[in-house]
Amino acid sequence: MSEFFCVPRWCVLLVVVSVVSHAISSSSLQADEDSVFLQSLDGQLITGLPDAGGSEFVLQRVFSSQFPSTFAWNGPGFHSLSRAPEGVEAIPETADVAFDFLPMNIDGLTSNLLYWDGVGSASEDVQFGLPPDDGYTLTLFGRNNQPGTVAATSEMIGGPVLVRTLDGAGLRMHEHRFFFLDDGDEFVDPEEGVYLTAMQLRMDGLRATEPFFLFWGTLNTPIAAVESAARPWIESRVDQLILDGDYNFDGGVDTADFDVCTAQQASSGPFPW
């Protein structure tokens, strides 16, 4: 379609996905096993999944989905329960939830978007690095379709508002925002494989979530590469890809991180206290 309109594919897709997202918004949560559920605990936002009965909340920081042939998809979704499971709390009503993309560090490489070609079916086969070429971007469209985009750089990307929470006794948040993967070439699709990014969610009055990780297999990437190889590889490295206390994302924790942290004390920055 973009070949005829001569505009970036995401501009055309945005019109389509905006309509689709309304159609999906009423779907059952039974199909949302890969969704990010957001609750709070002791003054901090937390991510995870409720059990089948909704009575317990399991902390989780790795979530997956699959890109179709359009490379635009509304998953993982973002949800929250107003009737929080035992041991956790509901997040505030009618409040904005913002998102940030975070750079990851692996073997001296720092990037907010990583790629593995998906060749292999075990975690020891996984070799994440930079995307195949310059120009690759991953965009998340937030509230009112405002975009936040990573381009495989070492920068933290402060995103816009993801969603405004709901009031009442139903779901506090039920949002399927679209992610779009682009290789910068109007006429060539991104390479098959697995794409990885890191995020955090923020709300005023609560500490941000711990970094969590989203990864997607492309349509022709074997499911074994996604779930049997990439998932355990990422899950075993959630505390190494982004070190606790590494506020400037340089792969180490030192006095420079202390300066960043204290500069944001009592502020609404990415790591508010």
Side-chain angles (χ1 to χ4, degrees), residues 215-238:
F215 69 104
W216 297 261
T218 54
L219 186 61
N220 295 314
T221 301
I223 190 66
V226 177
E227 293 300 331
S228 299
R231 180 179 290 277
W233 188 94
I234 299 166
E235 288 178 337
S236 67
R237 291 167 173 80
V238 293

Side-chain angles (χ1 to χ4, degrees), residues 22-156:
H22 288 292
I24 292 175
S25 64
S26 61
S27 63
S28 169
L29 286 181
Q30 296 299 317
D32 290 328
E33 294 179 358
D34 291 324
S35 291
V36 180
F37 275 79
L38 185 69
Q39 304 295 148
S40 66
L41 179 64
D42 297 331
Q44 181 175 18
L45 294 172
I46 57 174
T47 58
L49 288 172
D51 65 2
S55 60
E56 295 184 6
F57 191 79
V58 180
L59 295 176
Q60 183 170 318
R61 293 170 59 190
V62 178
F63 305 87
S64 68
S65 192
Q66 182 184 49
F67 279 122
S69 59
T70 58
F71 296 93
W73 191 240
N74 63 337
F78 297 92
H79 304 304
S80 184
L81 302 173
S82 57
R83 295 180 179 177
E86 184 177 355
V88 300
E89 303 161 4
I91 59 177
E93 298 179 335
T94 59
D96 289 341
V97 178
F99 70 91
D100 303 308
F101 285 112
L102 309 176
M104 300 159 284
N105 192 280
I106 174 174
D107 297 330
L109 169 67
T110 302
S111 178
N112 47 32
L113 179 63
L114 295 174
Y115 166 79
W116 169 51
D117 62 12
V119 177
S121 58
S123 59
E124 54 265 28
D125 299 320
V126 177
Q127 296 182 1
F128 274 105
L130 290 174
D133 296 298
D134 294 338
Y136 272 75
T137 60
L138 176 73
T139 298
L140 170 58
F141 295 97
R143 190 166 188 251
N144 298 322
N145 288 322
Q146 294 300 304
T149 300
V150 289
T153 69
S154 61
E155 298 175 326
M156 172 181 173

Side-chain angles (χ1 to χ4, degrees), residues 142-226:
R143 190 166 188 251
N144 298 322
N145 288 322
Q146 294 300 304
T149 300
V150 289
T153 69
S154 61
E155 298 175 326
M156 172 181 173
I157 304 298
V161 171
L162 176 69
V163 60
R164 179 163 294 171
T165 59
L166 305 172
D167 57 10
L171 289 169
R172 187 60 44 87
M173 185 167 71
H174 184 193
E175 200 73 15
H176 288 270
R177 306 308 306 173
F178 271 80
F179 293 87
F180 177 60
L181 178 68
D182 191 14
D183 62 357
D185 189 321
E186 290 290 323
F187 309 106
V188 178
D189 287 336
E191 291 288 340
E192 299 287 345
V194 179
Y195 293 83
L196 169 66
T197 195
M199 293 180 64
Q200 68 177 7
L201 297 178
R202 294 183 284 113
M203 296 183 75
D204 287 342
L206 293 167
R207 298 193 306 278
T209 63
E210 294 291 329
F212 61 93
F213 302 86
L214 308 180
F215 69 104
W216 297 261
T218 54
L219 186 61
N220 295 314
T221 301
I223 190 66
V226 177

Side-chain angles (χ1 to χ4, degrees), residues 241-258:
L241 289 168
I242 301 177
L243 295 176
D244 185 23
D246 184 12
Y247 297 122
N248 63 358
F249 306 105
D250 65 354
V253 179
D254 50 31
T255 55
D257 299 296
F258 179 78

